[in-house]
Amino acid sequence: MSKPLINCRYPQPEATHRLFCFPWAGGGSNFFANWGRELPPNIEAFGITLAGRESRFAEKPCSSSQETVAEIASTIATDYGDKPLILFGHSMGALLSFETAVLLKSVYGKEPQHMYLSGVSAPHTESRRKDSRDLSKVTDKEFQELLKELGGTPPEIIENEELFKLFLPALKADYTMVNQIMYDLPDGPPPLSCPFTFFDGAEDNDHDYEALGTHLPNRSINQSNRSVDEITMPNFLVQLVTVSRLPDTPTGWDAQVHARAPDKDELS
């Protein structure tokens, strides 16, 4: 069942739920795949490996969000859709996971049981449209300066010319996808009916989650204390197995989970 797109370091064949994690721009899957060792055996963790990084480094990075989402949704539905699905995405990954969830439901009839999103504004907000940029005519130097302005990319990559050239294709492809993902609200029911939980960090940019309020009624926003330690991945993992009890979940979700708090630049 192993696919280059899917990274599972800690297989749990007896798991009752599968958790798929989508990376931030320029990010990989190994960070998320390591969560598997922290989770109880009824949750199997998978990281999404996009083209042009890690085990797919030899592949040309894909700059089409439509193609990327289609590949992910098809793989999950075909090879992993026999168990309940949970999706998590941070920043760019939140946008990709949302688009994937919509496709999983509309094309494959497999809506996730729960969505966890962090570090991004709702895809239909005016702020996202205003900040969208056409990168097709941007030079490498201009893109380098843009990354400095946006923040989130480790300085050791931006300021080291050799490293920057190495990561440039994947970074540019990812930011091109980010700018492509805009969403027009439907006139009828919301595209997804599953519960949504949102996370944000005190030192991150402001994000518009409230815009989803009337369109995703089953949602919660975790901003308590606005503390980086409270609103990062350990909090997500603990909530995943102790707070968010999905329908018909068996025993085992009571397990306490403790994970390393990522550095700020890992989650930007």
Side-chain angles (χ1 to χ4, degrees):
M1 186 183 288
S2 178
K3 299 280 186 179
L5 173 71
I6 305 297
N7 182 358
C8 181
R9 288 190 166 185
Y10 299 90
Q12 298 285 1
E14 302 303 318
T16 58
H17 291 74
R18 289 179 170 140
L19 167 67
F20 291 88
C21 303
F22 294 67
W24 57 93
S29 62
N30 288 330
F31 177 82
F32 297 115
N34 283 329
W35 286 359
R37 69 179 171 222
E38 309 290 350
L39 291 167
N42 62 316
I43 308 173
E44 192 171 28
F46 301 85
I48 300 295
T49 309
L50 301 180
R53 65 214 75 193
E54 297 173 328
S55 62
R56 303 181 68 185
F57 187 80
E59 298 180 41
K60 181 180 178 181
C62 182
S63 58
S64 167
S65 61
Q66 186 174 5
E67 291 179 17
T68 297
V69 167
E71 178 190 22
I72 297 171
S74 174
T75 300
I76 291 177
T78 303
D79 298 327
Y80 302 91
D82 58 323
K83 295 181 180 181
L85 307 172
I86 308 163
L87 304 189
F88 169 81
H90 176 72
S91 194
M92 176 191 75
L95 297 172
L96 290 177
S97 66
F98 174 77
E99 293 284 306
T100 298
V102 172
L103 202 60
L104 282 170
K105 180 180 180 180
S106 62
V107 175
Y108 301 99
K110 296 182 182 296
E111 182 173 13
Q113 274 204 359
H114 203 113
M115 296 285 294
Y116 291 90
L117 308 176
S118 70
V120 75
S121 294
H124 64 275
T125 53
E126 185 60 32
S127 60
R128 278 196 41 75
R129 296 181 187 278
K130 182 180 67 174
D131 294 338
S132 178
R133 311 188 188 199
D134 181 5
L135 299 180
S136 61
K137 299 178 182 179
V138 174
T139 67
D140 292 350
K141 186 64 177 176
E142 290 171 335
F143 183 64
Q144 192 174 23
E145 293 303 315
L146 176 61
L147 291 179
K148 293 179 183 178
E149 176 186 336
L150 293 173
T153 305
E156 54 268 26
I157 292 178
I158 298 179
E159 296 169 5
N160 184 308
E161 291 299 327
E162 291 185 5
L163 273 180
F164 180 70
K165 288 180 181 179
L166 186 67
F167 284 94
L168 176 62
L171 282 166
K172 203 163 190 179
D174 286 357
Y175 276 97
T176 298
M177 286 197 293
V178 168
N179 288 328
Q180 292 171 356
I181 300 177
M182 303 292 170
Y183 190 77
D184 293 323
L185 293 173
D187 294 329
L192 298 169
S193 58
C194 64
F196 276 66
T197 301
F198 301 94
F199 296 85
D200 214 354
E203 296 185 26
D204 206 347
N205 296 327
D206 291 334
H207 298 112
D208 187 355
Y209 294 132
E210 294 295 341
L212 289 169
T214 57
H215 305 286
L216 298 173
N218 298 320
R219 55 118 193 187
S220 63
I221 300 176
N222 189 336
Q223 294 178 313
S224 60
N225 299 326
R226 297 293 294 170
S227 163
V228 172
D229 290 334
E230 293 287 334
I231 316 297
T232 50
M233 297 310 104
N235 181 275
F236 157 69
L237 289 174
V238 170
Q239 182 164 352
L240 177 63
V241 298
T242 63
V243 180
S244 295
R245 298 175 181 273
L246 305 181
D248 300 321
T249 53
T251 58
W253 288 77
D254 291 336
Q256 288 290 334
V257 175
H258 301 281
R260 176 182 68 85
D263 296 327
K264 286 185 298 180
D265 55 358
E266 288 182 306
L267 290 176
S268 300

